[in-house]
Amino acid sequence: MKRLEDELRLRLNDDEQVPYPDFGAMWERMEQPDQAGPERMMTHSVPFIRKRKVKRIAVAATLGALLAAAPVYAAIHYDWDTLLRWNSGVQSALEQNLGQELGQSITRDGVTLTLHTAVVDENQTVILYSLDIGKHNKEELWSFAGVSLKDKEGKVVDLEKGSQVWDDKSGRFTGYLQTDWTPSGGTAEVELSAHGLQSYSQQEKGLELDPGSPKLQETAISQDGLKSVAVQAFEQGEDKVLLASSVVFDRPETKDWAYPRIAVYRNGTEVRSLSGGTFGTPGEHGEYTMQQYFNRSDLTDGSVSYRLLYTKLEQSLDGPWTFDLKLSKEKMKSGTVIRTLNTPLEENSQSVLKKMVITPMQIRVAIENSGKLGIMPYQKYELLVGGKTLEGRLWSSEGRKPRTETFRFERPVDLVITPDTPIVLVCRYKVTYHSGGDTPVLLTGIGTQKQTLTTNISGYPVKWTYYKQNGNLYVESESESPVFGGVNQTYIGTGKNRKIGKPVTANFIGDGNNKAIDMYKNFGGTEASVYMFFYSTDEPEREARVSLQP
């Protein structure tokens, strides 16, 4: 089972392995007249936070509870500290006895779900549980298809970002469920419902791939709801290769749990892919697409083999497991501070710090950006608190305000904060987005042979490589200047005849890679005028510091 847990943990915790949005569709929406007011425009512009990056893939929501946590309950001892090793804020709250004991169990179809403790503050609600499934096959992992809270008014809130592991000592799964929702007052009566308990196993299918071939390589899978996989290799400089893959399902529901990926084995040992990959972006016909980067030497040196790894649904229990709870954040009140800020991030900045909420579990800082795209100008956020440096994580929940991003900082167990404790927000690695303008890059003599030309964009040399392959036009852009962050996305033509390129690569801010590839399907011409939506420039050493307290 460890192999499957590691696989799912990779999907949930590797910030680099994420999908990117359909920029073409979003750009189309942004260009439409604002028929529904500013909120509509703001909502659709937020996903441009990074060049081609949005929130984590749906696995974080659909697999619900997959990695860690909970306190001691009844006569069974759980090693919660080990499970909470990535969540020091909950650890801190439990050590201060700020959890609310629940102690409720329900058995359905021979499976017992026990809710042990709730930790509730102004920032979030965390519920810690154990799951007793009886006799357990350690090669399988169990999780709920959906878990939600419903308040007395009938409003339903999905519980997200759950984590779960197997505990050998208790012979049960232990985990936690988490949501941004908290009682609007001190307490709230809610109904927690979990349904669709499913078990999964890890499966694989051998693949015959040639990473040196630019052709699309297709393999029939024909098992467990997966019909086929197609892989295409792209050179990424001298030392890196991109494997762009797509999986077609003959049972559409399989995509809800399969989460396939290409695994590379060299001399019998799996090779870890490089950062910057994506999983789960829908293709034109509903296929599941992936982009994975590898060192060229890992694909050419030694004995190399390839496999398609995926999860298989073994069984499902409907449930539901339903609990009536009264959740309270009263224990947290004495340790909670809410500060209204309204402080510019820096001089003449479109980003304004709006609010800071300090609780015994977590510090959250909300930043509002009034720019056209709502993009945060910096990529790395830290808090300097009481001699400690806390790393920030972006938290974009379903109920967040348009153009407002919330950065969360987990509190270490031993961090003491008083009204006089200095708190400084440090923002690093500035990225600026620029309009692509109205001047196109003219591609001529388009054919199967690769051709290159170099243009000057605001003083930066940008090399364009273009060619046709499998009837499609590929347009690559890159620059030798490290200040040039890369081209966001391209399009051909203007007006109603405009064609928007489909990104093949997913580039991330701060990864040092400014190469991008767009694909135009079924391109029949020999010339094209290519425009850019945006390009970015990077200032890795630039930083901004803002004092939040005292």
Side-chain angles (χ1 to χ4, degrees), residues 6-58:
D6 290 344
E7 171 74 12
L8 295 170
R9 183 178 294 114
L10 170 68
R11 309 299 178 89
L12 288 175
N13 291 284
D14 187 349
D15 280 325
E16 303 295 348
Q17 309 291 346
V18 296
Y20 52 85
D22 183 346
F23 281 84
M26 279 189 275
W27 181 251
E28 293 286 357
R29 289 193 293 265
M30 290 177 62
E31 287 187 327
Q32 296 300 317
D34 187 11
Q35 301 294 333
E39 182 173 343
R40 173 184 176 275
M41 293 290 289
M42 292 176 179
T43 301
H44 288 303
S45 67
V46 167
F48 281 89
I49 296 167
R50 305 193 176 199
K51 272 188 282 186
R52 289 173 181 169
K53 181 173 182 180
V54 286
K55 296 171 282 188
R56 293 173 183 257
I57 64 175

Side-chain angles (χ1 to χ4, degrees), residues 14 28 107 124 129 140 146 159 176 179 207 210 240 258 265 271 294 299 332 373 421 438 451 483 498 513 522 524:
D14 187 349
E28 293 286 357
T107 301
Q124 61 183 330
Y129 68 88
E140 293 182 0
L159 288 164
Y176 68 82
T179 176
L207 302 176
D210 178 4
K240 191 163 64 172
Y265 293 83
V271 174
F294 295 90
L299 305 185
M332 293 285 191
L373 301 178
T421 302
D438 299 325
Q451 299 188 68
V483 179
R498 183 175 66 179
N513 175 26
N522 299 323

Side-chain angles (χ1 to χ4, degrees), residues 224-375:
D224 302 324
L226 283 74
K227 182 178 181 180
S228 63
V229 59
V231 183
Q232 191 167 9
F234 294 90
E235 296 181 358
Q236 299 286 285
E238 297 181 356
D239 58 354
K240 191 163 64 172
V241 175
L242 164 65
L243 297 183
S245 314
S246 62
V247 175
V248 176
F249 300 92
D250 53 22
R251 294 205 305 269
E253 67 275 12
T254 306
K255 69 177 63 175
D256 293 336
W257 57 74
Y259 307 110
R261 71 178 176 91
I262 303 296
V264 178
Y265 293 83
R266 189 178 64 174
N267 300 324
T269 301
E270 184 175 358
V271 174
R272 183 173 176 82
S273 61
L274 302 176
S275 63
T278 67
F279 295 93
T281 306
E284 290 183 41
H285 305 290
E287 63 270 27
Y288 182 103
T289 68
M290 306 165 280
Q291 292 82 36
Q292 296 169 259
Y293 293 89
F294 295 90
N295 287 318
R296 181 181 300 279
S297 60
D298 287 335
L299 305 185
T300 57
D301 297 344
S303 177
V304 180
S305 61
Y306 301 87
R307 304 174 198 172
L308 180 69
L309 303 185
Y310 62 93
T311 54
K312 175 186 176 183
L313 178 64
E314 296 290 348
Q315 59 177 308
S316 179
L317 305 175
D318 293 334
W321 290 257
T322 302
F323 302 82
D324 291 321
L325 305 175
K326 187 174 184 179
L327 299 179
S328 172
K329 56 186 178 185
E330 294 296 326
K331 285 188 175 182
M332 293 285 191
K333 280 192 173 181
S334 63
T336 297
V337 176
I338 301 175
R339 290 187 180 276
T340 300
L341 301 173
N342 288 322
T343 304
L345 189 59
E346 54 190 344
E347 187 176 357
N348 299 321
S349 175
Q350 294 178 316
S351 297
V352 178
L353 306 178
K354 302 299 291 184
K355 184 169 69 171
M356 176 174 66
V357 180
I358 303 172
T359 76
M361 274 200 291
Q362 195 180 82
I363 303 173
R364 292 197 183 190
V365 178
I367 304 178
E368 182 180 278
N369 189 286
S370 60
K372 180 178 180 180
L373 301 178
I375 302 173

